Amino acid sequence: MKMKKLAAVALAVVMSVSMLAGCGSSNDKKSAESSTSANGTATVKTAKDGVLTMATNATFPPYESYEGNDIVGIDADIAKAIADKLGLKLEIQDMEFNSIITAVQSGKADLGLAGMTVTDERKQSVDFTDSYATGIQSVIVKEGSSIKSIDDLKGKKIGVQLATTGDIYAKDDFGEENVEEYNKGADAVMALTSGKIDAVIIDNQPAKAFVKTTDGLQILDTDYVQEDYAAAIQKGNTDLLNAVNGALKELKEDGTIQKILDKYIK
Ligand code: ARG
């Protein structure tokens, strides 16, 4: 009888401890690592307890750009939806585009989400989640430009955002000496407007956003390269990869991803 009672007390203690852990505060390390969040989703270990840290480069509308002090766009909304599913708070870190992979590799950020194209080269450094969107590299020129097709770019000065796939393809196809690298796509577009360069190669949605807000530019009617966008995750972090892929799957199935895309791409 005595033994039984003791066991019951012990069980009650264990239960209340685990219940506490279950709805534990976000700064309790153990609970963040091994408990379940309020909505029942198993939580994963992240760079900062209770927080999903997203590394991005907010120069890339409609995927990520500033609205006042806030970073808004498709990637910000998708990351927020993923964080909600995982019972985590979202924190966005803005950095240079070519620092994102390093931030993810070093574990400073959990997720690189930046309209980032899945490439074999990047796969050597990070893992990619399932794709959530597609992109196309397009070419912006001045209205009335003699450049009418990809072939016309030969020997012309091409502006790109540093370390993007546009940069890589342009150098491969037209020679390094013909490619001008800028920190931001918008800087390349400014250089095009002022006549410093002849064309800009950049993803189609930002291209549309830039052309809309700048006079005298047009996008060539050609699809240079088709791409898949995905989130980058630290290599070998399969717990986080699986958790994010699980969240993405649900968000695709319940129409959330499409809703977010439609909100920004009209
Ligand atoms: N899709 C291109 C790439 O992955 C460009 C992405 C640029 N993204 C940004 N947030 N600036 O290289």
Side-chain angles (χ1 to χ4, degrees), residues 82-254:
I82 292 172
D84 283 349
K85 284 259 180 228
L86 301 181
L88 299 167
K89 259 184 63 190
L90 177 67
E91 214 173 272
I92 302 182
Q93 281 181 9
D94 189 20
M95 59 189 72
E96 297 296 330
F97 183 71
N98 69 349
S99 302
I100 296 173
I101 295 218
T102 319
V104 170
Q105 261 184 318
S106 69
K108 245 184 66 197
D110 302 305
L111 209 63
L113 203 54
M116 191 181 281
T117 306
V118 178
T119 71
D120 286 339
E121 205 197 329
R122 289 174 182 162
K123 276 190 195 163
Q124 319 254 315
S125 317
V126 289
D127 287 339
F128 281 102
T129 63
D130 296 333
S131 176
Y132 63 90
T134 54
I136 298 168
Q137 291 298 312
S138 39
V139 182
I140 312 176
V141 295
K142 276 194 172 176
E143 271 170 8
S145 164
S146 64
I147 301 168
K148 308 258 183 256
S149 71
I150 296 292
D151 288 341
D152 296 339
L153 286 173
K154 287 205 184 85
K156 295 286 194 308
K157 278 263 169 283
I158 304 165
V160 295
Q161 184 182 18
L162 177 70
T164 59
T165 47
D167 186 8
I168 297 159
Y169 304 144
K171 285 199 250 176
D172 277 356
D173 291 348
F174 304 103
E176 267 185 53
E177 66 283 7
N178 294 312
V179 178
E180 294 287 333
E181 294 167 320
Y182 296 87
N183 275 330
K184 302 174 184 174
D187 293 346
V189 171
M190 260 167 57
L192 174 62
T193 307
S194 65
K196 284 204 192 91
I197 54 174
D198 303 303
V200 171
I201 295 181
I202 195 162
D203 305 49
N204 58 332
Q205 290 305 331
K208 281 185 194 159
F210 292 139
V211 166
K212 214 173 137 189
T213 51
T214 319
D215 281 339
L217 298 180
Q218 69 178 92
I219 299 171
L220 287 189
D221 192 17
T222 151
D223 299 349
Y224 181 36
V225 186
Q226 310 247 10
E227 309 183 310
D228 289 323
Y229 294 165
I233 288 185
Q234 190 179 47
K235 221 171 177 30
N237 191 347
T238 43
D239 277 355
L240 185 60
L241 184 69
N242 291 339
V244 173
N245 274 338
L248 270 176
K249 185 165 182 279
E250 285 176 30
L251 293 167
K252 279 180 196 168
E253 280 168 6
D254 72 7

